[in-house]
Amino acid sequence: MAICFAVRAALTTDTLPFLSHFMLPGEASSSAPNAVQQQREAGPYNQPLPVEAYPYTDTEVIGGDSVSAIQRRLLEKYPSPSAAIIERTRLEAQDLFEVKVQIIQKMAQWDPTGDWMGRGARALDNPRTASGEESFDRLSNIWKDLQETGPLSDVFSTLQNKVLKKR
């Protein structure tokens, strides 16, 4: 490996200028003019993509559920999870929570008699899984069906029967 680095260092634009055409951006030798380096750094292709903040806090409760509660349920199967597993389950919990909130808000709009904002997330549980959580794919399909079919959807009726009515 050291040989590869030595050969690469020897074959820079200092010794063989024609090689600069075959190098990746940022690989040019340190003797390249500062204007060229600055142009590469400031170009539109080097701009970072905008990052949109996650719209919910981990402890925000909507429909009787929160990101931290979902994450806790996902982590139950790991006796001593690593930092990577904890982070992965946090991201998974955020995804699940976001789709659940979309479904709950739509159901609350269409079925005002149901306790969607209080306990609506329980209608989206899956007791057949170890964590009690429905998969992201299944929740996405529920959301898609509600968007396409609306209150006439079979999913709408199923969820409506699962949620408690307000008293």
Side-chain angles (χ1 to χ4, degrees):
M1 187 156 223
I3 295 171
C4 291
F5 288 120
V7 170
R8 186 175 200 144
L11 297 176
T12 62
T13 55
D14 291 340
T15 55
L16 300 171
F18 72 93
L19 284 178
S20 65
H21 299 293
F22 301 102
M23 299 180 94
L24 295 172
E27 283 188 332
S29 99
S30 60
S31 66
N34 282 341
V36 173
Q37 288 287 51
Q38 288 174 353
Q39 186 179 27
R40 284 187 182 143
E41 291 172 8
Y45 52 87
N46 287 340
Q47 299 300 317
L49 295 174
V51 177
E52 193 171 311
Y54 186 71
Y56 309 103
T57 65
D58 285 356
T59 57
E60 185 173 357
V61 177
I62 299 176
D65 214 352
S66 67
V67 172
S68 60
I70 295 170
Q71 182 182 14
R72 187 179 62 254
R73 290 191 298 269
L74 293 173
L75 284 170
E76 284 177 351
K77 64 182 175 183
Y78 302 101
S80 56
S82 67
I85 290 174
I86 292 170
E87 180 62 15
R88 188 187 72 214
T89 57
R90 186 181 66 80
L91 295 173
E92 186 179 349
Q94 286 179 339
D95 290 343
L96 292 170
F97 184 71
E98 196 164 6
V99 176
K100 282 184 173 187
V101 168
Q102 290 172 330
I103 294 168
I104 289 166
Q105 288 174 340
K106 189 53 75 177
M107 291 298 294
Q109 178 184 356
W110 289 336
D111 181 25
T113 63
D115 186 17
W116 293 102
M117 297 311 285
R119 297 186 41 87
R122 300 290 61 93
L124 299 169
D125 286 349
N126 183 347
R128 293 179 302 279
T129 64
S131 65
E133 292 297 326
E134 193 66 79
S135 72
F136 179 78
D137 290 339
R138 176 71 180 123
L139 288 173
S140 295
N141 287 337
I142 290 170
W143 173 238
K144 183 180 174 185
D145 186 51
L146 288 173
Q147 285 181 303
E148 291 174 358
T149 315
L152 300 176
S153 166
D154 289 338
V155 170
F156 175 82
S157 300
T158 302
L159 292 175
Q160 197 175 29
N161 290 331
K162 286 183 175 182
V163 77
L164 296 173
K165 300 294 178 188
K166 289 181 187 175
R167 294 175 190 221

